[in-house]
């Protein structure tokens, strides 16, 4: 029963969130700040993870095809497919759920318990719209860029490590990353990412917005936000993959 | 004038407000006093609509707030200023951004007009020169005053203050009390102050509502409160040794 209560309350919150902003100028200013907070400040961690993952996938794949039966370019192909299909669009958002989600939940949760949200409501400001909408729009805009960057870096890292560790010549790798390339798979990845961006921000904001109590509960909300975001990402990933790729 | 008529509020099994009826008059400092947990904050939150009432009516100068939809309530809310118990300043904004926030959101003023209004409000609470500071960088008493400045920025007709001087030293507390009183008289506001501080009640209470067990137990002015024969009220008023001495001197 609890679950239906949460789903209902979540959609009610989203309905108020997606009302027309009071002041567009203010909305855009907040959105730019959020793009910086959510996107730009995550570039470092996303880049780091993508480089290392690309390199590791390259080495692991290369280690498994020493038999000679399988063509060498498979390494490039595998790195590309893994980065595009799963690592960039799913694993990066999972990491972002930990970073951005907990941040959003504790920020909004703190505003709730210190009555700052009540203060907004009293003034006649749509507090949900004011606090949450800029974050959702910012994430939905910036996530695809992060994810494309991640794909690119992962594949590049694979090429570099392949060359440096002498496991696959660059020429073979190049053949691999061009082999049977399907642009729809990139589109699929971007669609997934956009949905995950929405999930992370809205679910985290929901947990923050409905925090009750004190500092302890803010911590709790922020944990809940991350856990539920990740679970929902996983379930949605399965559904979207079934829907789009098969 | 704000009229509260037969308001009931329950949380699950707990019946917190029982037929609360009270009148808060224009141009006066109206108090809601009572023991901790008696329902003062719940009453205030029901009046401003942060909580929905179970039954009953709330009239803002005759306008029935309880039966309004969100859009109509929004119009009333623009006439309401509120000082929260913990000040509730936006901690990501400076002092002047806090005070200017409602203006920026609804004011339709030019930058200069806004700046002028912000400075006026800050001057009114004796906080000139702290414009660029963040809430974390000023003291609790200053935060309360910024809260008041923000509450009066839009020239409200109705001002609510939840425990305006809790956690303040006696001198600062009196400064805040007097400030609230002056603003109320100056701008003819309907002011509602929630408090359990007998000092402020006696200092500035024009019209006092004593809440006990979720009911309005006693109503009167600051001159009557010391001479009431109401047992529960007397227990509340003369709880401290200091007030017991006052009672001795009175009789
Ligand atoms: N959101 C809520 N959910 C459930 N019960 C609540 C809620 N808010 C208040 N109560 C209950 O209502 C009663 C009255 O609370 P209220 O906050 O009005 O007390 P108060 O008179 O303001 O006390 P204090 O002086 O300590 O602030 C308390 O018993 C409290 O437990
Ligand atoms: Mg209270």
């Amino acid at each position: 029963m609890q679950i239906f209560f949460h789903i209902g309350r979540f959609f009610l919150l989203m309905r108020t969130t997606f009302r027309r902003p009071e002041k567009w100028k203010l909305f855009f200013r907040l959105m730019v700040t959020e793009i910086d907070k959510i996107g730009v400040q995550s570039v470092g961690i996303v880049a780091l993870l993508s480089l290392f993952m690309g390199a590791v996938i390259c080495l692991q794949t290369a280690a498994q095809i020493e038999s000679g039966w399988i063509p060498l370019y498979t390494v490039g192909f595998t790195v590309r497919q893994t980065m595009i299909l799963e690592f960039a669009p799913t694993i990066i958002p999972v990491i972002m759920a930990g970073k951005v989600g907990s941040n959003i939940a504790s920020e909004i949760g703190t505003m709730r318990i210190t009555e700052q949200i009540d203060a907004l409501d009293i003034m006649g400001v749509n507090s949900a719209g004011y606090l949450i909408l800029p974050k959702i729009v910012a994430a939905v805009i910036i996530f695809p860029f992060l994810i494309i960057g991640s794909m690119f870096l992962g594949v590049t890292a694979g090429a570099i490590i392949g060359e440096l560790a002498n496991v696959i010549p660059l020429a073979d790798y190049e053949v691999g990353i061009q082999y049977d390339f399907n642009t729809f798979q990139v589109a699929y990845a971007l669609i997934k990412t956009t949905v995950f961006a929405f999930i992370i921000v809205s679910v985290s904001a929901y947990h923050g917005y409905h925090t009750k109590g004190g500092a302890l509960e803010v911590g709790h909300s922020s944990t809940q936000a991350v856990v539920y975001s990740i679970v929902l990402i996983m379930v949605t990933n399965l559904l979207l993959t079934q829907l789009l790729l098969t | 004038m704000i009229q509260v008529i037969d308001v009931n509020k329950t949380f699950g099994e707990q019946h917190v407000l029982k037929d609360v009826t009270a009148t808060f008059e224009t141009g006066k400092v109206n108090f809601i006093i009572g023991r901790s947990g008696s329902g003062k904050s719940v009453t205030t939150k029901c009046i401003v609509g942060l909580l929905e009432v179970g039954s009953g009516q709330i009239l803002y100068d005759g306008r029935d707030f309880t039966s309004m939809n969100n859009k109509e309530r929004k119009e009333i809310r623009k006439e309401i200023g509120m000082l929260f118990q913990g000040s509730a300043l936006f901690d990501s904004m400076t002092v002047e951004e806090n005070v200017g926030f409602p203006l920026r959101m609804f004011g339709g003023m030019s930058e200069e007009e806004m700046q002028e209004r912000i400075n006026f409000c800050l001057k009114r609470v004796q906080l000139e020169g702290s414009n660029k500071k963040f809430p974390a960088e000023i003291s609790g008493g200053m935060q309360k005053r910024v809260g008041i400045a923000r509450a009066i920025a839009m020239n409200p007709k109705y001002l609510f203050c939840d425990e305006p001087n809790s956690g303040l030293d006696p001198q600062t507390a009196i400064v805040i009390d007097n400030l609230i009183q002056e603003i109320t008289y100056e701008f003819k506001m309907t002011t509602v102050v929630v408090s359990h501080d007998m000092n402020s009640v006696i200092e500035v209470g024009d019209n006092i509502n004593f809440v006990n067990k979720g009911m309005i137990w006693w109503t009167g002015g600051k001159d009557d409160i010391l001479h009431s024969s109401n047992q529960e009220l007397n227990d509340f008023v003369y709880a401290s040794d200091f007030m017991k001495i006052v009672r001795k001197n009175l009789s």
Side-chain angles (χ1 to χ4, degrees):
Chain A
M1 283 324 279
Q2 195 71 3
I3 184 90
F4 293 113
F5 168 75
H6 283 293
I7 292 173
R9 205 167 59 158
F10 175 81
F11 281 107
L12 280 180
L13 180 66
M14 284 304 114
R15 210 179 62 186
T16 22
T17 300
F18 281 94
R19 292 224 180 96
R20 209 171 61 83
E22 246 108 6
K23 278 260 156 83
W24 283 104
K25 217 173 102 185
L26 205 57
F27 171 79
F28 284 116
R29 222 178 55 198
L30 289 170
M31 194 187 72
V32 171
T33 321
E34 294 301 336
I35 286 185
D36 178 56
K37 264 184 15 200
I38 296 173
V40 179
Q41 290 181 27
S42 303
V43 167
I45 181 85
V46 169
L48 191 80
L49 288 169
S50 310
L51 285 171
F52 277 90
M53 282 308 291
V56 169
I57 297 168
C58 174
L59 290 180
Q60 282 182 350
T61 319
Q64 289 174 49
I65 56 166
E66 272 167 1
S67 65
W69 284 98
I70 307 165
L72 262 185
Y73 69 74
T74 312
V75 176
F77 176 75
T78 309
V79 174
R80 186 199 79 201
Q81 289 301 82
T82 316
M83 288 308 296
I84 290 183
L85 291 178
E86 274 314 303
F87 184 79
T90 308
I91 303 302
I92 292 290
V94 166
I95 309 283
M96 295 290 277
K99 183 175 184 289
V100 176
S102 61
N103 195 313
I104 290 175
S106 55
E107 179 188 326
I108 297 182
T110 305
M111 290 190 74
R112 165 60 75 196
I113 64 159
T114 54
E115 297 180 312
Q116 292 177 50
I117 294 184
D118 287 343
L120 286 170
D121 287 334
I122 283 291
M123 289 175 194
V125 176
N126 169 6
S127 58
Y130 175 79
L131 293 173
I132 305 173
L133 191 60
K135 295 190 202 306
I136 290 183
V137 176
V140 165
I141 290 176
I142 202 68
F143 263 50
F145 289 99
L146 284 176
I147 264 54
I148 289 187
S150 163
M151 294 171 181
F152 182 77
L153 285 177
V155 172
T156 312
I160 295 170
I161 199 80
E163 191 63 34
L164 287 182
N166 250 334
V167 290
I168 169 171
L170 192 57
D172 287 306
Y173 192 87
E174 267 177 20
V175 173
I177 60 177
Q178 286 163 38
Y179 181 80
D180 194 20
F181 184 70
N182 182 351
T183 45
F184 178 71
Q185 291 179 346
V186 178
Y188 151 83
L190 293 181
I191 292 170
K192 282 210 304 195
T193 293
T194 313
V195 175
F196 297 158
F198 172 77
I199 289 177
I200 293 171
V201 180
S202 58
V203 169
S204 307
Y206 168 78
H207 282 284
Y209 197 82
H210 287 293
T211 304
K212 276 204 182 82
L216 217 57
E217 281 79 4
V218 173
H220 183 66
S221 293
S222 128
T223 312
Q224 296 284 85
V226 176
V227 171
Y228 279 97
S229 299
I230 293 178
V231 171
L232 270 175
I233 287 176
M234 289 302 158
V235 175
T236 317
N237 190 23
L238 187 68
L239 293 177
L240 281 179
T241 306
Q242 171 70 18
L243 207 71
L244 294 173
L245 279 196
T246 54
Chain B
M1 186 168 68
I2 302 172
Q3 287 161 287
V4 178
I5 304 165
D6 286 335
V7 165
N8 281 279
K9 175 73 187 168
T10 49
F11 291 109
E13 295 286 282
Q14 196 187 359
H15 200 164
V16 178
L17 301 185
K18 297 164 196 149
D19 292 329
V20 167
T21 299
T23 303
F24 304 107
E25 290 165 38
T26 307
K28 290 196 174 161
V29 182
N30 303 274
F31 268 79
I32 300 177
I33 61 172
R35 300 187 58 179
S36 186
S38 56
K40 304 184 296 291
S41 294
V42 172
T43 307
T44 324
K45 285 185 177 165
C46 283
I47 298 174
V48 297
L50 285 175
L51 290 172
E52 288 301 323
V53 300
S55 68
Q57 274 186 315
I58 287 150
L59 306 178
Y60 280 85
D61 287 313
R63 296 169 294 176
D64 186 359
F65 188 68
T66 28
S67 67
M68 286 180 182
N69 61 28
N70 257 332
K71 211 171 169 187
E72 293 166 324
R73 282 186 177 193
K74 233 175 183 170
E75 292 311 308
I76 298 255
R77 283 188 168 161
K78 286 174 192 165
E79 301 173 358
I80 294 179
M82 182 152 181
L83 170 66
F84 286 83
Q85 194 163 346
S87 298
L89 301 179
F90 304 124
D91 31 45
S92 60
M93 299 180 199
T94 61
V95 164
E96 70 173 13
E97 282 167 348
N98 263 286
V99 178
F101 184 82
L103 302 172
R104 184 148 284 141
M105 213 70 188
F106 303 111
M109 294 177 172
S110 70
E111 276 308 313
E112 295 89 66
E113 284 170 324
M114 251 189 293
Q115 198 58 50
E116 209 168 290
R117 179 76 193 154
I118 292 169
N119 289 338
F120 171 81
C121 293
L122 284 176
K123 193 164 170 223
R124 198 66 200 73
V125 297
Q126 293 149 26
L127 270 181
E128 310 101 312
S130 300
N131 294 40
K132 303 285 182 211
K133 292 207 171 110
F134 283 91
E137 298 169 346
I138 58 179
S139 74
M142 290 163 89
Q143 289 176 7
K144 286 258 154 80
R145 282 186 276 162
V146 177
I148 295 179
R150 185 178 68 183
I152 62 171
M154 293 287 281
N155 240 329
K157 284 163 87 169
Y158 315 99
L159 179 66
F160 293 85
C161 304
D162 196 348
E163 314 219 353
N165 46 25
S166 64
L168 298 183
D169 67 272
Q171 280 176 306
T172 313
I174 287 179
V175 170
I176 302 252
D177 287 338
N178 290 334
L179 179 62
I180 291 172
Q181 186 183 43
E182 280 167 32
I183 297 169
T184 303
Y185 293 169
E186 193 176 326
F187 303 113
K188 299 258 176 313
M189 292 191 290
T190 307
T191 299
V192 178
V193 178
V194 173
S195 182
H196 36 215
D197 181 4
M198 279 314 294
N199 282 331
S200 8
V201 174
I202 293 170
E203 184 89 14
V204 296
D206 294 321
N207 170 28
I208 302 154
N209 297 277
F210 173 58
V211 183
N212 189 30
K213 298 183 188 141
M215 289 179 266
I216 300 284
W217 210 263
W218 182 89
T219 305
K222 64 182 166 198
D223 302 319
D224 318 321
I225 195 165
L226 297 176
H227 309 288
S228 157
S229 57
N230 187 307
Q231 185 58 44
E232 281 81 3
L233 179 66
N234 281 337
D235 288 348
F236 178 81
V237 171
Y238 296 111
S240 69
D241 285 343
F242 175 73
M243 288 304 293
K244 280 175 189 145
I245 295 170
V246 170
R247 175 160 59 182
K248 225 176 242 159
N249 288 344
L250 280 174
S251 57

